[in-house]
Amino acid sequence: MSGMKFALTQPYQCNYLPDEKEQLLVLMPPDNGMQSTHYEWLITSGFRRSGDQVYRPHCDSCQACRSVRVLVDQFTPSRSQKRLLKKMENWQTRFITELTDEHFELYRRYIELRHYGGAMYPPSKSQFEQFVNCYWHPPRFLEARIDKKLIALAVTDCFGDAFSALYTFFEPDLSDQSLGTSMILLQIQKAKAEGKRYLYLGYQVEGCQKMEYKDKFLPQEQFEQGKWRLIEKKR
């Protein structure tokens, strides 16, 4: 990280572990401007982005957050994942590069019905676009449709050897269809088709039940104490 400058945020209430305080190590924009290659390197060191901001958890008293990446070529779906893959065979899927009002309307319903009162509530178009877009590395948007109806969209950053799953939202009326898991499976498929090695899934947070789904995509590597550690079976 020679030549890169970082700032440490003040401690604030952790969004995942209510008894903990959270701090972030945030990248200060380089003097010559942020480049996609900077982030491609930083993501291999446990960093992640939100909009244009690049960060990594940096908490004194807690080490629960670990960056996760799925080994695409070695990934083996479980029995339940195989059932989902079978259901997905009639989906229409594609990568696009531009968002539309249709995408925002799906996002708005998703936030209002599934994350009422959360950090992204109330949803607005400007907040949505600032969160998913990035001027120095424009993402791709993975659509999923059934009979031409938009049911889910995954915001995906694409690099030379990896995809990074930034965020997924889906039709809230289909909450019982495991669409979040299905979209990860779809990104793994797309990554494999494009010859990628990894799919980054963001942070696993030990002790946070709503993050436990990431343990189900194996084998994977988790970034701990400056190194990637292979996880071949659920802990």
Side-chain angles (χ1 to χ4, degrees):
M1 299 182 187
S2 176
M4 291 188 176
K5 298 178 182 178
F6 298 85
L8 189 62
T9 67
Q10 293 294 320
Y12 58 94
Q13 183 63 49
C14 180
N15 289 319
Y16 301 104
L17 301 175
D19 295 332
E20 297 290 345
K21 295 292 185 179
E22 179 179 358
Q23 283 186 283
L24 298 177
L25 189 66
V26 180
L27 175 68
M28 305 300 290
D31 293 338
N32 61 347
M34 184 67 177
Q35 302 293 325
S36 177
T37 51
H38 294 148
Y39 184 53
E40 188 169 2
W41 181 79
L42 285 165
I43 200 172
T44 67
S45 298
F47 283 82
R48 188 161 175 79
R49 78 167 181 89
S50 176
D52 297 328
Q53 186 179 73
V54 178
Y55 67 93
R56 186 175 73 184
H58 191 86
C59 308
D60 286 338
S61 61
C62 178
Q63 304 296 319
C65 294
R66 298 183 296 270
S67 183
V68 173
R69 64 186 185 187
V70 180
L71 305 181
V72 168
D73 279 341
Q74 300 176 44
F75 171 72
T76 303
S78 64
R79 282 185 293 180
S80 62
Q81 290 168 345
K82 287 179 180 178
R83 289 194 292 268
L84 290 176
L85 288 167
K86 185 68 175 176
K87 290 182 179 180
M88 293 162 56
E89 289 178 356
N90 68 333
W91 288 15
Q92 300 91 49
T93 66
R94 63 171 182 166
F95 271 120
I96 60 173
T97 57
E98 299 290 337
L99 292 168
T100 68
D101 289 342
E102 181 187 24
H103 301 127
F104 173 68
E105 284 303 307
L106 179 62
Y107 171 81
R108 181 187 60 78
R109 294 197 307 276
Y110 176 78
I111 295 297
E112 289 181 348
L113 295 177
R114 287 185 59 93
H115 296 286
Y116 178 85
M120 295 180 179
Y121 184 87
S124 70
K125 196 167 186 178
S126 60
Q127 173 260 354
F128 170 58
E129 292 175 346
Q130 289 173 9
F131 168 52
V132 301
N133 285 319
C134 179
Y135 78 90
W136 43 261
H137 188 84
R140 293 159 73 183
F141 306 104
L142 182 56
E143 285 187 337
R145 297 177 182 268
I146 297 178
D147 297 329
K148 299 184 179 180
K149 176 180 171 57
L150 180 67
I151 61 167
L153 187 138
V155 183
T156 310
D157 287 333
C158 304
F159 305 101
D161 70 343
F163 283 174
S164 177
L166 181 73
Y167 194 70
T168 293
F169 53 94
F170 51 81
E171 177 55 60
D173 291 341
L174 300 177
S175 296
D176 61 342
Q177 300 298 308
S178 300
L179 292 182
T181 295
S182 296
M183 292 304 288
I184 293 176
L185 293 172
L186 182 58
Q187 287 173 96
I188 292 173
Q189 284 186 331
K190 298 291 187 182
K192 187 171 185 178
E194 295 191 20
K196 309 300 183 185
R197 295 180 63 190
Y198 307 111
L199 173 66
Y200 287 84
L201 294 182
Y203 297 112
Q204 173 66 287
V205 184
E206 187 174 359
C208 178
Q209 186 175 3
K210 66 181 180 180
M211 288 294 184
E212 290 180 354
Y213 71 92
K214 296 180 182 181
D215 283 339
K216 298 177 182 179
F217 298 92
L218 298 169
Q220 63 179 233
E221 292 179 338
Q222 296 188 1
F223 194 73
E224 299 182 53
Q225 298 180 343
K227 296 181 180 179
W228 289 99
R229 187 164 73 88
L230 180 63
I231 308 293
E232 296 185 279
K233 61 182 180 179
K234 190 172 180 179
R235 297 190 185 199

